[in-house]
Amino acid sequence: MKSVFLSSILLIASTVAQAKSDTLTIAMTGDIMMGTTFPEVALPQNDGRNLFDDTKAITRRADLAVGNLEGTLCDAGKSTKTPGKNSYAFRTPTKYAPLLKDAGYDFLSMANNHSNDFGDEGMNSTEKCLDEQGIKYAGVEGRARMAVVERGGVKYGICAFGHNSYTMKHTDLELVKSVLDELKRQCEIVVVSFHGGAEGKTKNHLPYGHEMFLGEDRGDLRTFAHFCVDNGADVIYGHGPHVVRCMEVYKGRFIVYSLGNFCTPYGMNLTGISGYAPVVEIKIAKDGRFLKGKVHSFIQQKGVGPRKDESEVVAKEMGRLSREDIHQNPIKVDEKGNF
């Protein structure tokens, strides 16, 4: 009798474990620039060790945690930016790199308009720092074309696209398809990161067609995201406008069009909606189908980093934008950020 009972318990435990393993968790964040020494020193207290205090429990527990590294990890070098009103260059000390590993990041995009702030010297230093921490990266033309992360027996293929001359461009759909095709051959789940869209507080709504900003084509992001899904992508996350944007489920796959600033304690406007810093956590099936998600609401404090938003205003904003900007959107965000 005891052996029958024990066998039943073991069978139930095995079934529960199998069910759990069939659901994958992905945590996504926006722009990360933990502090800069250029053009002046602007660094958080305690060497930044408290920046991710409120958020790292979420990113650590995920099967895959991803974000965008908005700047370089380097200690020297000459800036490639021409000084001016709309010119910014970020140089985070290399000793800050372990903070990213401690926060649980598996992948960080380099396909943005700050990864080349200190030229090849800055990029080489950044890649070396991330390699030392075991964090994958991609997005710069001629460097890492894509990344593969294996967690829990599942291979995640990740790629990143941007709008700058040195990035893998999201406007080049032939390139995008070739990368996706290659990842699909290697991996069970394909994740796409993109840096695109116009910038600023008035740019939180997702427009139709191409977005132009400072004379640059920042992409037709709806078309790009849908193209990615049509060609095998399972999860797509965006950043670039410095504000949050809408989310949608298209053909059963999850898309978030901007996660805004996430951990940028200096060098960026953090007032109002510019300070909204969500962690979007989703559950997907092993075949990539979206199951459910949660917007974890955080608001940045200057010099401190993202801190818990008890009012859930960030989740409410992303829910509102998702209702207004996506026709017949299946995503419905509740008062606690669940969707």
Side-chain angles (χ1 to χ4, degrees):
M1 190 69 176
K2 281 185 179 181
S3 62
V4 173
F5 178 74
L6 181 59
S7 297
S8 298
I9 292 296
L10 291 174
L11 178 61
I12 292 170
S14 175
T15 302
V16 170
Q18 181 64 39
K20 184 177 180 181
S21 67
D22 286 342
T23 301
L24 309 175
T25 303
I26 299 178
M28 295 162 277
T29 70
D31 298 344
I32 300 169
M33 193 285 291
M34 298 173 286
T36 184
T37 60
F38 183 91
E40 298 163 350
V41 175
L43 298 172
Q45 293 184 347
N46 200 22
D47 280 335
R49 283 190 286 271
N50 304 111
L51 286 173
F52 300 105
D53 279 358
D54 286 15
T55 62
K56 62 187 177 184
I58 305 166
T59 45
R60 279 177 173 177
R61 74 189 179 207
D63 295 302
L64 183 76
V66 297
N68 174 55
L69 186 60
E70 187 86 338
T72 60
L73 293 165
C74 61
D75 298 316
K78 182 180 179 180
S79 173
T80 60
K81 298 290 182 68
T82 301
K85 181 181 178 182
N86 295 308
S87 181
Y88 301 90
F90 301 129
R91 187 174 64 192
T92 302
T94 57
K95 65 181 179 180
Y96 279 48
L99 302 178
L100 298 167
K101 180 180 181 180
D102 182 65
Y105 283 98
D106 299 293
F107 173 88
L108 292 168
S109 169
M110 290 180 64
N112 59 64
N113 52 320
H114 287 285
S115 60
N116 192 45
D117 280 355
F118 291 85
D120 285 342
E121 181 178 354
M123 284 198 198
N124 291 339
S125 177
T126 300
E127 291 180 353
K128 180 175 183 292
C129 286
L130 296 178
D131 287 339
E132 289 172 349
Q133 301 305 318
I135 298 171
K136 297 296 182 72
Y137 50 86
V140 176
E141 186 71 45
R143 290 177 178 262
R145 179 177 166 91
M146 62 191 69
V148 176
V149 175
E150 186 168 356
R151 295 287 184 270
V154 176
K155 285 186 178 180
Y156 300 85
I158 316 168
C159 51
F161 300 93
H163 55 77
N164 291 89
S165 60
Y166 52 83
T167 64
M168 306 273 286
K169 293 181 185 59
H170 46 61
T171 53
D172 185 348
L173 296 184
E174 185 176 343
L175 169 67
V176 173
K177 185 178 187 307
S178 71
V179 172
L180 293 175
D181 286 347
E182 189 170 344
L183 285 176
K184 283 189 299 180
R185 288 192 291 268
Q186 300 181 51
C187 305
E188 290 89 353
I189 300 295
V190 175
V191 179
V192 177
S193 166
F194 71 86
H195 202 71
E199 300 178 19
K201 293 182 188 296
T202 64
K203 307 302 182 183
N204 55 342
H205 283 284
L206 177 69
Y208 287 90
H210 285 259
E211 296 184 62
M212 301 298 297
F213 187 73
L214 299 179
E216 294 178 324
D217 183 352
R218 297 291 182 92
D220 178 348
L221 301 178
R222 291 177 191 257
T223 298
F224 165 76
H226 290 183
F227 179 87
C228 288
V229 173
D230 291 340
N231 285 277
D234 299 299
V235 177
I236 301 163
Y237 74 100
H239 34 82
H242 299 294
V243 288
V244 298
R245 284 185 169 182
C246 58
M247 306 176 288
E248 74 167 319
V249 171
Y250 170 74
K251 294 186 178 179
R253 267 53 182 178
F254 178 78
I255 304 168
V256 56
Y257 284 94
S258 178
L259 290 156
N261 299 322
F262 178 63
C263 184
T264 55
Y266 297 104
M268 296 187 191
N269 185 344
L270 301 180
T271 62
I273 62 174
S274 298
Y276 290 6
V279 180
V280 173
E281 183 182 33
I282 62 169
K283 305 282 187 182
I284 62 172
K286 274 196 171 179
D287 63 1
R289 287 178 300 109
F290 171 76
L291 300 174
K292 63 180 180 178
K294 182 177 178 65
V295 177
H296 297 272
S297 293
F298 299 92
I299 293 178
Q300 286 206 68
Q301 296 177 14
K302 184 175 181 179
V304 176
R307 292 296 176 258
K308 179 61 183 170
D309 162 37
E310 299 294 347
S311 70
E312 303 289 351
V313 67
V314 182
K316 292 172 185 174
E317 171 73 354
M318 294 187 75
R320 179 184 72 83
L321 293 170
S322 299
R323 290 192 305 272
E324 295 179 2
D325 291 354
I326 304 296
H327 182 59
Q328 295 183 333
N329 196 347
I331 286 183
K332 309 294 181 198
V333 184
D334 70 17
E335 292 295 304
K336 296 295 184 182
N338 300 295
F339 61 90

